[in-house]
Amino acid sequence: MRAAAVFSPCPSSPVFPHHLPHRYPKDPSFRTLVSISEATTRGRYVGRTGECSSFVWPRVVPERIQKSRYNNQIFASIADISVEQSIENVSLPKGDMWSVHKFGGTCMGTAKRIQTVADIVLSDPSERKLVIVSAMSKVTDMMYDLVNKASSRDESYITAIDNVFEKHMSTAKELLDGEDLARFLSQLHIDISNLKAMLRAIYIAGHATESFSDFVVGHGELWSAQMLSYTIKKHGNPCSWMDTRDVLIVNPTSSNQVDPDYAESEKRLEKWFTCQPADTIIATGFIASTPQNIPTTLKRDGSDFSAAILGSLVKARQVTIWTDVDGVFSADPRKVSEAVILRTLSYQEAWEMSYFGANVLHPRTIIPVMRQSIPILIRNIFNLSAPGTMICQQPVNENGDRRSLQSVVKAFATIDNLALVNVEGTGMAGIPGTANAIFGAVKEVGANVIMISQASSEHSICFAVPENEVKAVSAALNSRFRQALEAGRLSKVEVIPKCSILAAVGQKMASTPGVSATLFDALAKANINVRAIAQGCSEYNITVVLKQEDCVKGLRAAHSRFYLSKTTLAMGIIGPGLIGGTLLDQLRDQAAILKEKFNIDLRVMGITGSKTMVLSDTGIDLSKWREIQKEKAEVADLVKFTKHVHGHHFFPNTVLVDCTADTNVANHYYDWLNKGIHVITPNKKANSGPLDRYLKIRTLQRLSYTHYFYEATVGAGLPIISTLRGLLETGDKILHIEGIFSGTLSYIFNNFEGRRAFSDVVSKAKEAGFTEPDPRDDLSGTDVARKVTILARESGLKLELSDIPVRSLVPEPLKACSSSEEFMQQLPNFDKDFAKEREEAEAAGEVLRYVGVVDAVNEKGVVELRRYKREHPFAQLSGSDNIIAFTTTRYKDQPLIVRGPGAGAEVTAGGIFSDILRLASYLGAPS
């Protein structure tokens, strides 16, 4: 039995001009005779109805094939084949054999990049590949510009379209050669000619309809798809390209949104594939058609949307979105330099992040693949070694059974340039429909509501809108509720400008205790006020509204607190002298260990002395801070210094470390703390200065999350302040504190024995570096008095420094000496007086010790030279050790004693360093 079939190229064949049949007439000149070899390879035929179909070719004897050029058709006579055997429809296969790739404009930006795309496609081992491409970078903007210029009657559109032609022609010449290049350039000439005619019509009319505009703009995708298709075929791989306006059908729902018609699109895709059952298909992104076959686009992020829709239609194994970043970050890397690439995200998490402005995917892109549970992989075309981010169903907990805060909160996103609108009034409470009336008015002005927060019974409703829309919203609400405002049922319609939204996103936040508490604690410790809060019952995100100026700082604080990055402290060191310099060296030596083991990143943003200072935007290199101080120093300005260290929004937490003994510096503490700057210091001037100033600082400290640490003000590196606080906070009561608080005077009296002269011991102490440059500063007892005052105030006593009687060891006649040298020369004249006191003590089996005493019971303090039995702990000191005895209701019979080195740059700097690490721990670093 013989069967005859009539063959003709399908409309979408590469040899057919790449326009839709319904858009251009079926001119016979557009038809090209298909060779037998091409027809047999493709296996297509057209029946009398004109419908495309396919069948499995039998073995054909060439000499029995007869050709007819009548009506550009090919007739083949095939012997001994049944109709059932000869005709078999090719249906669209679906499932895991398909991998879908989408390449954006950046990926298709140049001939070299298009070749890279081709290499990626060719290296994909998948059985079938569907590749969606955008127009070359900048081309979509160029095409929109053509329409805008033509509709504005700007004749420069002619030059502009020539530039479009030149861009694609030069790219094609780099990529292609021979017949493929000739075919592409021929089609490019036809397209440009047609576009010029259309743009001329737009120019004359002075107006372009949306469909005309969409048709013009869509050519960028057509050209990039063709070039990539020819490039892949050039490597010997069969490949077809698809004008997705033939396949994707969408229903416009607004000026910037369309809804896909999946049923009709699937039907058309089946029909298209019947004509061209290729293993590799290059499809145009961004463009589609309406049910009436009118060209349109998929609007914002349309190419991603195209990939998601087509991937769902073929039920692909995976959709890969190729871009220019390594994946999805845990926060905007421009705002958080420590942001990390997320290996996995759930669909819901990606959706939430997209909504809140993260550069992930448009929320609607996720819907098609989410319906089919198809994973989306975000990868970097410029870094093929990066694994990218997988967006899929709820990922398996990467931490096994352990649920950490990091696994609960996946990422953070922000939206800037918002305004908060607050509608408030007692008359709203319990009145149904108030919210409906409010948002009805907002809808009428076309404003976009980003977030809503409502108090119970609708007493107060606030919501965030873009700042450029808030004026219209405010006017609409005041108009709508004018009568209620006049009657007092509504108290106000308030607008709070310059706001930002910070959203913490994570699918596992649901039913995990402590997430909100941790977030708000991180913000509070960064001294950031939250203006509004919103959280749905699904708990995919926690949304807070902040001042826009606090947004980056808040983002970094939250990101750091949830262990997604290091706890970073921006530090300013004041006084790089002996103690400050030693501290900087200790910070240098420990920096790497702190980062690696404790997740703490200490950045010294500035160092200032009394005359010069150095500043840095990223952190001073502490391995050569002394050299930098000499080479890049500028005139010291404490106000500028503070503003620089604290004004760097990339660091949420700022601490100023005052290593001086300067009263002027101490006078700034209150202002610094009030601005949210933490203060750490060994400087005793603030805590022993005027009582009202001390109380003011402590009150501010207690009312805020700003920390003020001063362990090193008493006992250098010894834990004296912390021990005292521990006793008080656990309910103990201080009765008596007695101690040797001066390392200098401890050394002097530990060595003032036998026949040694007092002046000789002081001279040796000065030579060893135990005294101040002028020993009178130590011998006067003022330093010990300050420490006694500090401990008395910590114990709850309201004493001034002047309330502390002090036994000065500076002989009265020597107080007026003009220099320390003169003082040291005159001091031997008074050795007999000191020797007499020592001899009297030794005769009684005692030793002399210079002590400070806090008598909490009688609310007084004293600094004096006392005698102690040789078996007393105070008599058994050596070197420059300090010793402090706490007598309390718990430690009444046997005092609690703290003993150790109480002087020296190393131990004092160590005490300051310990306070810095304590601050980092309070701010979220792991303990």
Side-chain angles (χ1 to χ4, degrees):
M1 178 180 178
R2 297 178 181 273
V6 181
F7 298 96
S8 177
C10 285
S12 296
S13 167
V15 297
F16 180 74
H18 310 295
H19 305 293
L20 298 182
H22 59 262
R23 294 189 191 90
Y24 289 91
K26 296 182 180 179
D27 190 324
S29 64
F30 285 178
R31 302 285 183 179
T32 304
L33 186 64
V34 181
S35 68
I36 290 297
S37 60
E38 184 175 5
T40 56
T41 300
R42 293 176 181 166
R44 295 189 305 270
Y45 79 92
V46 178
R48 296 186 184 277
T49 62
E51 294 292 329
C52 284
S53 187
S54 350
F55 66 95
V56 178
W57 279 94
R59 184 167 10 186
V60 178
V61 182
E63 51 266 30
R64 298 189 66 177
I65 296 178
Q66 301 174 357
K67 296 181 182 180
S68 170
R69 296 186 180 274
Y70 179 71
N71 287 336
N72 289 332
Q73 295 176 338
I74 303 172
F75 292 86
S77 298
I78 305 170
D80 303 324
I81 305 174
S82 68
V83 175
E84 289 79 6
Q85 290 176 311
S86 64
I87 302 175
E88 180 182 330
N89 289 333
V90 175
S91 60
L92 174 67
K94 297 179 182 179
D96 288 351
M97 77 281 292
W98 285 102
S99 67
V100 176
H101 297 266
K102 178 266 173 178
F103 296 93
T106 303
C107 302
M108 302 289 292
T110 64
K112 184 177 179 181
R113 291 183 181 178
I114 293 174
Q115 183 60 60
T116 300
V117 169
D119 293 339
I120 291 173
V121 174
L122 291 166
S123 65
D124 183 350
S126 301
E127 182 182 344
R128 295 182 180 274
K129 289 162 278 191
L130 179 55
V131 181
I132 293 86
V133 295
S134 300
M136 295 179 69
S137 59
K138 309 295 183 185
V139 167
T140 299
D141 290 338
M142 294 171 74
M143 302 302 282
Y144 273 120
D145 186 54
L146 289 177
V147 176
N148 293 334
K149 285 180 175 178
S151 58
S152 301
R153 295 196 171 118
D154 181 350
E155 291 188 352
S156 64
Y157 80 87
I158 299 172
T159 304
I161 196 170
D162 289 339
N163 293 336
V164 171
F165 172 77
E166 182 63 33
K167 180 181 181 72
H168 288 85
M169 181 179 69
S170 60
T171 303
K173 287 182 177 180
E174 285 187 60
L175 282 169
L176 310 175
D177 51 33
E179 185 180 352
D180 289 341
L181 176 61
R183 285 182 177 182
F184 176 78
L185 293 181
S186 174
Q187 190 58 56
L188 180 64
H189 276 287
I190 294 170
D191 290 343
I192 293 294
S193 178
N194 290 332
L195 286 174
K196 284 183 176 179
M198 179 171 283
L199 290 168
R200 179 61 180 171
I202 293 172
Y203 176 88
I204 293 170
H207 171 73
T209 65
E210 183 179 354
S211 60
F212 273 34
S213 177
D214 287 346
F215 178 74
V216 171
V217 171
H219 277 74
E221 277 71 17
L222 294 172
W223 297 325
S224 63
Q226 291 173 58
M227 283 192 289
L228 178 59
S229 173
Y230 283 125
T231 303
I232 292 173
K233 283 194 289 186
K234 182 179 176 182
H235 288 77
N237 283 58
C239 180
S240 296
W241 78 274
M242 175 195 294
D243 181 347
T244 48
R245 292 178 298 187
D246 288 334
V247 172
L248 293 187
I249 304 301
V250 297
N251 292 294
T253 57
S254 66
S255 60
N256 60 357
Q257 188 170 333
V258 296
D259 287 340
D261 185 334
Y262 290 97
E264 180 61 24
S265 297
E266 185 174 17
K267 180 180 176 182
R268 295 201 182 196
L269 179 58
E270 290 269 8
K271 184 176 178 179
W272 185 94
F273 190 83
T274 300
C275 295
Q276 295 189 182
D279 292 340
T280 301
I281 300 171
I282 311 300
T284 56
F286 184 58
I287 57 178
S289 293
T290 68
Q292 295 76 34
N293 293 325
I294 298 173
T296 189
T297 66
L298 297 181
K299 315 305 176 187
R300 179 187 169 190
D301 294 312
S303 293
D304 289 346
F305 199 16
S306 299
I309 297 169
L310 290 169
S312 71
L313 291 179
V314 299
K315 294 181 172 56
R317 179 185 74 257
Q318 177 177 291
V319 174
T320 303
I321 306 292
W322 292 89
T323 180
D324 56 359
V325 294
D326 286 344
V328 180
F329 284 88
S330 56
D332 187 339
R334 294 168 298 181
K335 298 177 180 178
V336 182
S337 58
E338 298 86 0
V340 297
I341 296 292
L342 301 173
R343 296 299 300 273
T344 60
L345 277 175
S346 70
Y347 294 121
Q348 290 82 1
E349 288 167 340
W351 197 333
E352 293 287 346
M353 290 181 65
S354 298
Y355 178 79
F356 286 103
N359 187 22
V360 187
L361 294 171
H362 193 279
R364 64 180 181 169
T365 302
I366 300 169
I367 297 174
V369 293
M370 186 176 174
R371 291 168 48 180
Q372 304 284 347
S373 297
I374 299 170
I376 299 177
L377 181 61
I378 311 293
R379 291 198 62 190
N380 189 352
I381 193 171
F382 304 114
N383 183 15
L384 299 180
S385 62
T389 300
M390 179 72 76
I391 301 172
C392 53
Q393 293 287 10
Q394 177 66 33
V396 176
N397 187 359
E398 297 94 332
N399 297 304
D401 294 331
R402 293 177 294 118
R403 175 175 286 194
S404 69
L405 287 174
Q406 180 177 0
S407 67
V408 170
V409 176
K410 271 297 183 69
F412 295 88
T414 58
I415 305 177
D416 294 325
N417 302 314
L418 300 177
L420 200 61
V421 180
N422 183 42
V423 183
E424 188 175 308
T426 56
M428 295 167 56
I431 306 299
T434 303
N436 181 61
I438 291 172
F439 294 112
V442 174
K443 180 182 177 182
E444 289 176 2
V445 297
N448 181 28
V449 176
I450 308 296
M451 184 217 76
I452 303 170
S453 181
Q454 178 179 318
S456 61
S457 302
E458 300 181 334
H459 170 72
S460 171
I461 298 175
C462 70
F463 54 93
V465 297
E467 198 153 26
N468 59 2
E469 298 176 357
V470 73
K471 187 175 180 181
V473 170
S474 177
L477 290 174
N478 278 284
S479 175
R480 173 65 179 79
F481 294 104
R482 180 179 294 110
Q483 186 176 353
L485 287 165
E486 292 173 352
R489 295 194 304 276
L490 285 186
S491 57
K492 60 183 175 180
V493 175
E494 180 185 16
V495 173
I496 304 171
K498 298 181 180 178
C499 292
S500 292
I501 278 178
L502 168 64
V505 175
Q507 189 166 347
K508 296 179 183 178
M509 291 194 303
S511 304
T512 301
V515 177
S516 297
T518 303
L519 173 62
F520 296 126
D521 183 60
L523 295 174
K525 285 179 176 177
N527 204 38
I528 293 172
N529 183 43
V530 175
R531 295 192 163 186
I533 305 165
Q535 178 177 352
C537 63
S538 65
E539 296 187 63
Y540 288 148
N541 80 73
I542 300 172
T543 304
V544 296
V545 179
L546 316 170
K547 291 180 182 177
Q548 188 160 311
E549 63 190 58
D550 290 335
C551 186
V552 173
K553 185 178 177 183
L555 174 63
R556 292 186 60 87
H559 190 275
S560 176
R561 183 62 183 87
F562 281 89
Y563 304 101
L564 296 175
S565 65
K566 294 175 175 61
T567 298
T568 306
L569 279 175
M571 301 174 61
I573 307 296
I574 304 170
L578 182 59
I579 293 174
T582 304
L583 173 63
L584 285 164
D585 290 339
Q586 290 178 353
L587 291 170
R588 173 200 64 204
D589 296 340
Q590 286 294 109
I593 295 174
L594 290 175
K595 278 186 180 182
E596 180 181 350
K597 293 188 176 181
F598 300 97
N599 218 32
I600 299 171
D601 185 4
L602 302 179
R603 303 281 187 95
V604 178
M605 311 302 292
I607 302 172
T608 184
S610 59
K611 296 180 179 179
T612 62
M613 67 181 181
V614 290
L615 306 175
S616 170
D617 288 329
T618 57
I620 295 170
D621 182 356
L622 296 184
S623 66
K624 50 184 178 181
W625 69 267
R626 289 181 175 85
E627 293 86 342
I628 294 172
Q629 193 178 29
K630 292 177 182 178
E631 296 169 3
K632 299 182 179 180
E634 56 183 282
V635 177
D637 182 333
L638 193 56
V639 174
K640 180 181 178 181
F641 178 84
T642 303
K643 186 176 180 180
H644 173 82
V645 175
H646 184 53
H648 209 301
H649 287 180
F650 279 101
F651 302 104
N653 303 301
T654 305
V655 57
L656 291 178
V657 182
D658 174 20
C659 297
T660 73
D662 193 316
T663 301
N664 179 55
V665 176
N667 289 339
H668 287 84
Y669 291 0
Y670 181 85
D671 290 336
W672 291 344
L673 292 166
N674 198 38
K675 291 176 180 177
I677 303 173
H678 307 291
V679 177
I680 293 174
T681 184
N683 187 342
K684 293 174 280 291
K685 298 298 175 63
N687 285 11
S688 63
L691 179 62
D692 59 342
R693 186 179 65 184
Y694 166 80
L695 294 174
K696 190 178 177 183
I697 290 175
R698 292 306 306 274
T699 300
L700 175 62
Q701 180 191 6
R702 292 188 182 100
L703 293 176
S704 71
Y705 280 89
T706 309
H707 297 285
Y708 174 41
F709 294 146
Y710 43 87
E711 183 70 74
T713 57
V714 181
L718 296 180
I720 297 174
I721 298 292
S722 56
T723 299
L724 175 57
R725 283 189 174 179
L727 293 169
L728 293 171
E729 289 170 359
T730 57
D732 204 352
K733 184 177 180 180
I734 302 297
L735 302 177
H736 193 265
I737 302 173
E738 186 175 359
I740 297 174
F741 295 105
S742 169
T744 302
L745 296 174
S746 175
Y747 176 87
I748 288 172
F749 283 98
N750 287 338
N751 289 276
F752 183 46
E753 55 186 9
R755 296 187 175 277
R756 293 190 67 181
F758 184 76
S759 61
D760 179 57
V761 175
V762 173
S763 178
K764 295 295 183 183
K766 187 174 187 299
E767 290 174 8
F770 286 116
T771 71
E772 295 293 333
D774 189 336
R776 284 176 294 180
D777 293 338
D778 298 294
L779 297 174
S780 69
T782 302
D783 183 66
V784 176
R786 289 188 180 279
K787 295 175 181 179
V788 169
T789 303
I790 292 170
L791 291 176
R793 290 174 176 179
E794 289 291 315
S795 301
L797 307 183
K798 296 183 178 179
L799 298 180
E800 293 281 8
L801 179 63
S802 58
D803 296 332
I804 310 296
V806 179
R807 160 74 188 274
S808 175
L809 299 178
V810 179
E812 190 64 32
L814 301 187
K815 290 181 179 179
C817 288
S818 60
S819 66
S820 63
E821 289 77 13
E822 182 184 352
F823 168 75
M824 292 302 298
Q825 289 173 1
Q826 298 292 329
L827 185 59
N829 297 330
F830 298 87
D831 281 344
K832 290 183 180 180
D833 296 333
F834 288 107
K836 182 180 179 181
E837 286 193 70
R838 181 187 63 195
E839 289 167 1
E840 290 176 354
E842 288 177 346
E846 297 173 337
V847 296
L848 294 175
R849 295 293 183 262
Y850 195 80
V851 299
V853 179
V854 176
D855 183 350
V857 175
N858 297 305
E859 299 186 356
K860 63 181 183 180
V862 65
V863 176
E864 59 187 4
L865 189 63
R866 285 188 174 184
R867 290 160 47 171
Y868 293 91
K869 294 293 182 181
R870 289 193 176 276
E871 61 270 18
H872 193 280
F874 284 19
Q876 298 172 11
L877 289 184
S878 62
S880 61
D881 279 4
N882 282 9
I883 187 168
I884 297 90
F886 294 95
T887 303
T888 71
T889 53
R890 291 178 191 160
Y891 298 92
K892 192 171 184 179
D893 298 328
Q894 189 73 21
L896 173 64
I897 291 180
V898 178
R899 173 181 171 174
E906 288 289 337
V907 293
T908 303
I912 300 168
F913 200 164
S914 179
D915 273 348
I916 293 171
L917 296 182
R918 184 153 60 109
L919 173 62
S921 178
Y922 283 9
L923 295 174
S927 58

